[in-house]
Amino acid sequence: LSHPMALAQCTNYLKRNGLKIQEEFDTAGSAKMIGEFGKVGFGAIASKRASIVYDLEVIEEGIEDDSENYT
């Protein structure tokens, strides 16, 4: 789950890992949805801060396709 731009910035990672995408309104909102509703089997592309706020585990960092993007 994530904002369309964040998903686009991480296309290679998502494809390489065979992950399905679901567009949402924003990155932090995606993390909130997972954290508050306990969506098992889902992940969010969001900030480290969002993981702290919504008590989520960071699985991997630096997944952006372009190192100039900080996703």
Side-chain angles (χ1 to χ4, degrees):
L1 305 172
S2 199
H3 184 274
M5 185 57 69
L7 294 168
Q9 291 173 348
C10 301
T11 300
N12 293 334
Y13 176 86
L14 296 168
K15 285 183 179 179
R16 185 173 56 250
N17 289 285
L19 301 171
K20 295 180 183 179
I21 64 168
Q22 180 176 324
E23 294 181 355
E24 293 296 338
F25 182 70
D26 64 21
T27 57
S30 299
K32 179 179 181 179
M33 188 181 308
I34 292 169
E36 290 186 351
F37 298 110
K39 289 186 162 276
V40 177
F42 283 77
I45 295 175
S47 68
K48 188 178 235 178
R49 171 94 174 115
S51 74
I52 294 166
V53 170
Y54 301 112
D55 195 30
L56 298 172
E57 175 186 2
V58 174
I59 296 171
E60 194 163 347
E61 295 184 58
I63 64 170
E64 64 277 343
D65 295 344
D66 181 345
S67 62
E68 296 300 312
N69 292 329
Y70 297 95
T71 303

